[in-house]
Amino acid sequence: MPQNTARMLQTHPNPASVFDQGALAECIDACFECANVCSSCADACLGEHGHLMHLVHCIRLNLDCADVCGTTGRVLSRLTQPDLNVMQAQLQACLTACRACGDECERHARDMNMEHCAVCAESCRRCEAACARLLEGMGA
Amino acid sequence: MPQNTARMLQTHPNPASVFDQGALAECIDACFECANVCSSCADACLGEHGHLMHLVHCIRLNLDCADVCGTTGRVLSRLTQPDLNVMQAQLQACLTACRACGDECERHARDMNMEHCAVCAESCRRCEAACARLLEGMGA
Amino acid sequence: MPQNTARMLQTHPNPASVFDQGALAECIDACFECANVCSSCADACLGEHGHLMHLVHCIRLNLDCADVCGTTGRVLSRLTQPDLNVMQAQLQACLTACRACGDECERHARDMNMEHCAVCAESCRRCEAACARLLEGMGA
Amino acid sequence: MPQNTARMLQTHPNPASVFDQGALAECIDACFECANVCSSCADACLGEHGHLMHLVHCIRLNLDCADVCGTTGRVLSRLTQPDLNVMQAQLQACLTACRACGDECERHARDMNMEHCAVCAESCRRCEAACARLLEGMGA
């Protein structure tokens, strides 16, 4: 996790109590990284002139996943008076978006040797797993 | 629905087929309106000097709801090769965020006579209902 | 302007004083509409299978313009203790993004008869003009 | 810069040519970090019960800066067929938002010993400087 992002959690006046601190920090970090990587992957796919026709579904899922992960990261990093139902539902949406985008990117990494899709699939898998861990900790 | 937003759905090369067109347009409109109204309500609450201490939870839920609704509106208005699991999970998160924020704003509208919270509660209820209708149509 | 978005400005505890109220409301409305229409236009272009190769620059500008307009709409609709330098610089960025995207969409509307680009160009022009009016009112 | 975010720039089919690669990567990283830290700082300020009244302007600038930096990070990390006027204007807006928010946070770090504001001021200064370097490289 980038140093200052981690320090923000530590200097917050109301440190979170519902979640395991380490699992929460890891999930926030995974969400923001995945948001940025998915936004980049949509753009990299858009630049693949020879393969563009085959990357339409991938670009669409990248854009969805970028928005969903960014929103999830923001919701999770707000520690003041959280609503657990909102967090749980948004984590579930994030896990679902990361799975769909990770599956699609993995396919292009394997079948078309797309390196940016390989990196993106890795970020999606990491974020999917981090969401699953937080959801498990909530008893969901 | 603002005229040009509606026209974008009509001029799309692949008009949606899974959803009832009217229910989809209504939900996209409700999501974007709720996103903007919640962002304004967070700011209006922040300007309520005498009552600020009592509005902390409201501001927090407004910020969450603004982000969640904005992301849901974007995901729903992408008609090209959608992933229904992602849409369904994000709709569920949106319904949950709108319910939490609508409940909180309703309380402040009633107990503290906050007019901006009354307007915001109305937008949250409308968006919650629109999400519920789309989810129902998906058999969720 | 959608009814509840307009009512939020009216029920705010600190109504804006720097800007002409009508011009501000019109610009906020134009920013949010343009954000949503540009996000839709990126998706519609992505669905234009036969023309996709010629729409890469358009999709890219649509995505930029959607993000820039959405951020500008949020900054402008925060009335509590605003910073005029931030507003002015963000308005200038928004005007620039709308001009670039409007020019590109106009070209595709004319040369390829793309209806969604015609609608999008209209929203971009309206937002560009609304930003110019606010900037003029600031003496910028 | 988080490893996968850096790898996305390296695996892009059209690596940027206008900007110095190192300066660009640093600026994208600074924008996304500042966006996340500012969103956290708004929330941490909101949790400072005893000082809340004095943090209203800070929260407002944090929210603006979070949105502006997030949008700037996305625009900069799109390498496919960029529009330099849009990048330059958005960089200028980002520099302005970071300066305003950094000044305000610095004051609270010094006068009220707010640690989260000290961290946030650091991220704002780093992002302001990174934007200035890119703008300089563009001859702006």
Side-chain angles (χ1 to χ4, degrees):
Chain A
M1 185 169 211
Q3 202 198 348
N4 280 357
T5 318
R7 285 166 69 198
M8 288 309 288
L9 294 178
Q10 290 150 11
T11 59
H12 196 284
N14 318 298
S17 55
V18 205
F19 296 110
D20 171 77
Q21 287 291 319
L24 178 63
E26 195 185 9
C27 192
I28 293 170
D29 185 37
C31 283
F32 285 134
E33 190 208 54
C34 196
N36 305 342
V37 165
C38 281
S39 183
S40 273
C41 193
D43 178 74
C45 287
L46 201 60
E48 293 283 0
H49 289 305
H51 304 285
L52 190 47
M53 305 300 254
H54 304 290
L55 292 167
V56 167
H57 192 46
C58 193
I59 294 173
R60 191 254 142 78
L61 290 175
N62 281 152
L63 295 175
D64 282 357
C65 201
D67 290 334
V68 172
C69 288
T71 284
T72 309
R74 281 186 167 206
V75 170
L76 289 176
S77 60
R78 294 190 184 112
L79 306 181
T80 298
Q81 302 188 25
D83 181 294
L84 293 186
N85 291 326
V86 175
M87 284 191 165
Q88 189 172 322
Q90 191 56 47
L91 276 166
Q92 193 60 56
C94 194
L95 183 154
T96 308
C98 288
R99 184 173 293 160
C101 191
D103 285 353
E104 185 71 13
C105 276
E106 215 165 74
R107 208 175 351 261
H108 300 306
R110 196 185 51 225
D111 299 350
M112 294 198 276
N113 213 20
M114 297 262 158
E115 277 186 86
H116 47 81
C117 284
V119 178
C120 189
E122 198 179 291
S123 288
C124 288
R125 292 310 182 204
R126 182 176 161 238
C127 190
E128 182 189 346
C131 290
R133 262 192 303 277
L134 272 198
L135 283 167
E136 223 178 295
M138 297 174 90
Chain B
M1 185 169 212
Q3 203 198 348
N4 279 358
T5 318
R7 284 165 69 199
M8 287 310 287
L9 295 178
Q10 291 150 12
T11 59
H12 196 284
N14 318 300
S17 55
V18 204
F19 296 109
D20 172 77
Q21 287 290 319
L24 178 63
E26 196 184 10
C27 192
I28 293 170
D29 185 38
C31 284
F32 285 134
E33 190 208 52
C34 196
N36 305 343
V37 165
C38 281
S39 183
S40 273
C41 193
D43 178 74
C45 287
L46 200 60
E48 293 283 1
H49 289 305
H51 304 285
L52 190 46
M53 305 300 255
H54 305 289
L55 292 168
V56 168
H57 191 46
C58 193
I59 294 173
R60 192 254 141 78
L61 290 175
N62 281 152
L63 294 175
D64 282 357
C65 201
D67 289 335
V68 172
C69 288
T71 284
T72 309
R74 280 186 169 207
V75 170
L76 289 176
S77 61
R78 294 189 185 113
L79 306 182
T80 297
Q81 302 187 26
D83 180 294
L84 293 186
N85 290 326
V86 176
M87 284 190 166
Q88 190 172 321
Q90 190 56 47
L91 276 166
Q92 192 62 55
C94 193
L95 183 154
T96 308
C98 288
R99 185 173 294 162
C101 191
D103 284 354
E104 184 72 13
C105 276
E106 216 165 73
R107 209 176 349 262
H108 300 305
R110 196 185 50 224
D111 299 349
M112 292 199 277
N113 213 20
M114 297 263 159
E115 276 186 85
H116 46 81
C117 284
V119 178
C120 190
E122 197 180 292
S123 288
C124 288
R125 293 311 182 203
R126 182 175 161 239
C127 191
E128 183 189 346
C131 290
R133 261 192 303 277
L134 272 198
L135 283 166
E136 222 178 295
M138 296 175 91
Chain C
M1 186 169 211
Q3 203 198 349
N4 279 357
T5 318
R7 284 166 68 199
M8 288 310 288
L9 295 179
Q10 291 150 11
T11 59
H12 196 285
N14 318 300
S17 55
V18 204
F19 296 109
D20 172 77
Q21 287 291 318
L24 178 63
E26 195 183 11
C27 192
I28 293 171
D29 186 37
C31 284
F32 284 134
E33 191 207 53
C34 196
N36 305 342
V37 165
C38 281
S39 184
S40 272
C41 194
D43 178 73
C45 287
L46 201 60
E48 293 282 1
H49 288 305
H51 304 285
L52 191 46
M53 305 300 255
H54 305 289
L55 293 167
V56 167
H57 191 47
C58 192
I59 294 174
R60 192 254 141 77
L61 291 175
N62 281 152
L63 294 174
D64 282 357
C65 200
D67 290 334
V68 172
C69 289
T71 283
T72 309
R74 280 185 168 208
V75 170
L76 290 176
S77 59
R78 294 189 184 112
L79 307 182
T80 298
Q81 301 187 27
D83 180 293
L84 293 186
N85 291 327
V86 176
M87 284 192 166
Q88 190 171 321
Q90 191 55 47
L91 275 166
Q92 192 61 55
C94 193
L95 183 154
T96 308
C98 288
R99 185 173 292 162
C101 191
D103 284 354
E104 184 71 12
C105 276
E106 215 165 75
R107 209 175 352 261
H108 299 306
R110 195 185 52 224
D111 298 351
M112 294 198 277
N113 213 20
M114 297 263 159
E115 277 186 86
H116 46 82
C117 284
V119 177
C120 190
E122 198 180 291
S123 288
C124 289
R125 293 310 182 203
R126 182 175 160 239
C127 191
E128 182 190 346
C131 290
R133 261 191 303 276
L134 273 197
L135 282 167
E136 223 178 295
M138 297 175 90
Chain D
M1 186 170 210
Q3 201 198 350
N4 279 357
T5 318
R7 285 166 69 199
M8 287 309 289
L9 294 179
Q10 292 150 11
T11 59
H12 196 285
N14 318 300
S17 55
V18 203
F19 297 109
D20 171 77
Q21 287 290 319
L24 178 64
E26 195 184 10
C27 192
I28 293 171
D29 186 36
C31 284
F32 285 134
E33 190 208 53
C34 196
N36 305 341
V37 165
C38 281
S39 183
S40 272
C41 194
D43 178 73
C45 288
L46 201 60
E48 293 282 1
H49 288 305
H51 303 285
L52 190 46
M53 304 300 255
H54 304 289
L55 293 167
V56 167
H57 192 47
C58 193
I59 295 174
R60 191 253 142 78
L61 290 175
N62 281 152
L63 295 175
D64 282 357
C65 201
D67 290 334
V68 172
C69 289
T71 283
T72 308
R74 281 186 167 205
V75 170
L76 290 175
S77 61
R78 293 190 184 112
L79 307 181
T80 298
Q81 302 187 26
D83 180 293
L84 294 186
N85 291 326
V86 175
M87 285 191 165
Q88 189 172 322
Q90 190 57 46
L91 276 166
Q92 192 61 56
C94 193
L95 183 154
T96 308
C98 288
R99 184 173 295 162
C101 190
D103 285 353
E104 184 71 13
C105 277
E106 217 166 74
R107 209 175 350 260
H108 300 305
R110 195 185 53 222
D111 299 349
M112 294 198 277
N113 214 19
M114 297 263 158
E115 278 186 85
H116 46 83
C117 284
V119 178
C120 190
E122 197 180 292
S123 288
C124 289
R125 293 310 182 204
R126 183 175 160 239
C127 191
E128 182 189 346
C131 290
R133 263 192 302 277
L134 272 198
L135 282 167
E136 222 178 295
M138 296 174 90

